[in-house]
């Protein structure tokens, strides 16, 4: 059966309501909260700081280390505290999504640690985490060539791209290929592209274009959050 109307009434290219705040963890070097609908991510940055043990150090430049996890209370099902295969995978893709925007050449032998915690999960948590982490890195003053904006699109076979799917949509019985994507908005470079499901080359290409457009709205929310802390302005752009 065709998916003609979204479960929550949004348009097919509409992102959930977003909210972002920079500097939410005062003791961290940089921090941010990013909310997409009911999905809430918090990111904290520590560093650049000396990396131990020393055999992990790179004398040429600093390294980035990401640690993502869901809080036990963030999901309805039982979730054991502590790392899992899933959290390790998401940590790794988060690191790879963020790294192209960072310049750590001036920080040899150092590490920048990014901690992402999901307080409330309604799908798209890796994307919300990347959006928060990108802001937290900027807040920490880590040299960056661009922000990173991420959102997950659902691709329905022979139907359409569904931007920023929630959990109900992700579980849609008609089949929804969950496709998280992250871009550097200035250059348009893709830094994360995953897909869980099946879709044709044309469907993927078209979904990527629509997702990129949606990412520009995320960028606006991120820029506003940074301006609120650093730009001394209160109005939205
Ligand atoms: O969150 P994201 O879409 O990036 O990753 P996922 O592995 O595709 O997970 C999709 C969703 O499943 C999460 O956002 C949570 O809402 C839910 N989930 C859960 O309920 N319990 C888990 N242990 C893991 C995920």
């Amino acid at each position: 059966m065709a998916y003609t109307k979204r479960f929550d009434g949004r348009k097919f290219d509409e992102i959930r309501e977003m909210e972002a705040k920079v500097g939410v963890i005062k003791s961290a070097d940089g921090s941010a909260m990013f909310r997409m609908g009911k999905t809430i991510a918090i990111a904290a940055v520590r560093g650049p700081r000396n990396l131990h043990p020393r055999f992990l150090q790179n004398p040429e430049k600093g390294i980035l280390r990401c640690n993502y996890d869901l809080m036990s209370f963030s999901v309805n099902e039982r979730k054991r505290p502590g790392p899992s295969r899933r959290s390790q995978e998401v940590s790794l893709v988060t690191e790879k999504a963020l790294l192209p925007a960072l310049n750590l050449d001036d920080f040899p032998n150092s590490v920048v640690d990014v901690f992402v915690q999901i307080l409330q999960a309604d799908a798209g948590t890796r994307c919300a985490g990347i959006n928060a982490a990108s802001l937290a890195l900027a807040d920490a003053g880590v040299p960056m060539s661009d922000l990173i904006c991420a959102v997950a699109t659902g691709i329905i076979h022979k139907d359409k791209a569904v931007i920023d799917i929630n959990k109900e949509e992700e579980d849609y019985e008609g089949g929804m290929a969950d496709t998280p994507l992250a871009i550097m908005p200035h250059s348009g470079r893709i830094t994360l592209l995953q897909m869980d499901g099946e879709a044709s080359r044309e469907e993927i290409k078209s979904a990527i274009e629509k997702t990129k457009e949606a990412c520009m709205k995320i960028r606006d929310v991120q820029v506003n959050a940074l301006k609120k802390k650093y730009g001394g302005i209160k109005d939205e752009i």
Side-chain angles (χ1 to χ4, degrees):
M1 202 177 71
Y3 188 57
T4 49
K5 201 165 178 296
R6 292 184 79 166
F7 293 133
D8 62 5
R10 270 182 293 154
K11 294 191 202 103
F12 281 89
D13 62 354
E14 193 178 334
I15 306 191
R16 289 175 283 187
E17 188 202 22
M18 290 181 278
E19 192 185 341
K21 194 167 180 201
V22 171
V24 292
I25 300 169
K26 304 291 175 214
S27 63
D29 295 311
S31 62
M33 179 281 300
F34 201 95
R35 178 175 72 81
M36 307 173 83
K38 291 190 203 135
T39 292
I40 305 174
I42 297 270
V45 170
R46 302 260 180 204
R49 58 185 176 180
N50 217 13
L51 175 59
H52 291 286
R54 286 177 66 174
F55 74 86
L56 292 175
Q57 291 180 353
N58 181 347
E60 307 282 321
K61 59 179 181 178
I63 68 160
L64 175 70
R65 201 162 51 179
C66 292
N67 188 301
Y68 157 103
D69 209 353
L70 294 163
M71 305 289 279
S72 298
F73 56 78
S74 67
V75 289
N76 293 330
E77 64 182 54
R78 207 176 116 72
K79 195 262 170 201
R80 263 201 225 190
S84 61
R85 281 180 63 141
R86 177 182 175 277
S87 70
Q88 283 176 16
E89 179 242 332
V90 180
S91 298
L92 188 71
V93 297
T94 299
E95 211 168 276
K96 288 186 184 294
L98 296 168
L99 201 53
L102 301 187
N103 182 354
L104 300 177
D105 291 355
D106 289 340
F107 308 101
N109 304 323
S110 301
V111 61
V112 174
D113 275 307
V114 177
F115 302 93
V116 174
Q117 283 290 345
I118 304 303
L119 302 193
Q120 196 168 274
D122 186 22
T125 62
R126 74 195 61 203
C127 294
I130 289 166
N131 293 333
S134 167
L135 280 177
L137 284 160
D139 185 39
V142 175
M144 296 169 79
S145 58
D146 208 343
L147 286 165
I148 300 283
C149 313
V151 66
T153 290
I155 307 176
I156 308 179
H157 184 47
K158 293 210 170 116
D159 208 330
K160 49 181 80 70
V162 188
I163 301 292
D164 191 20
I165 49 173
N166 62 21
K167 182 80 176 114
E168 195 183 7
E169 291 182 316
E170 196 181 278
D171 297 341
Y172 173 61
E173 57 185 22
M176 182 89 73
D178 178 13
T179 314
L181 179 127
I183 63 160
M184 293 166 65
H186 193 63
S187 63
R189 178 173 167 190
I190 294 173
T191 65
L192 166 81
L193 179 60
Q194 295 183 283
M195 200 176 80
D196 181 10
E198 284 177 25
S200 69
R201 184 184 287 258
E202 285 65 38
E203 284 166 342
I204 297 169
K205 268 175 138 175
S206 143
I208 287 175
E209 286 317 307
K210 288 180 185 148
T211 311
K212 277 181 157 183
E213 281 167 32
C215 281
M216 300 315 285
K217 296 186 185 124
I218 295 170
R219 181 195 163 275
D220 290 347
V221 173
Q222 288 173 317
V223 169
N224 271 327
L226 286 166
K227 281 187 176 170
K228 267 193 187 146
K229 182 168 177 195
Y230 294 102
I233 60 142
K234 290 203 166 59
D235 298 333
E236 306 280 304
I237 55 169

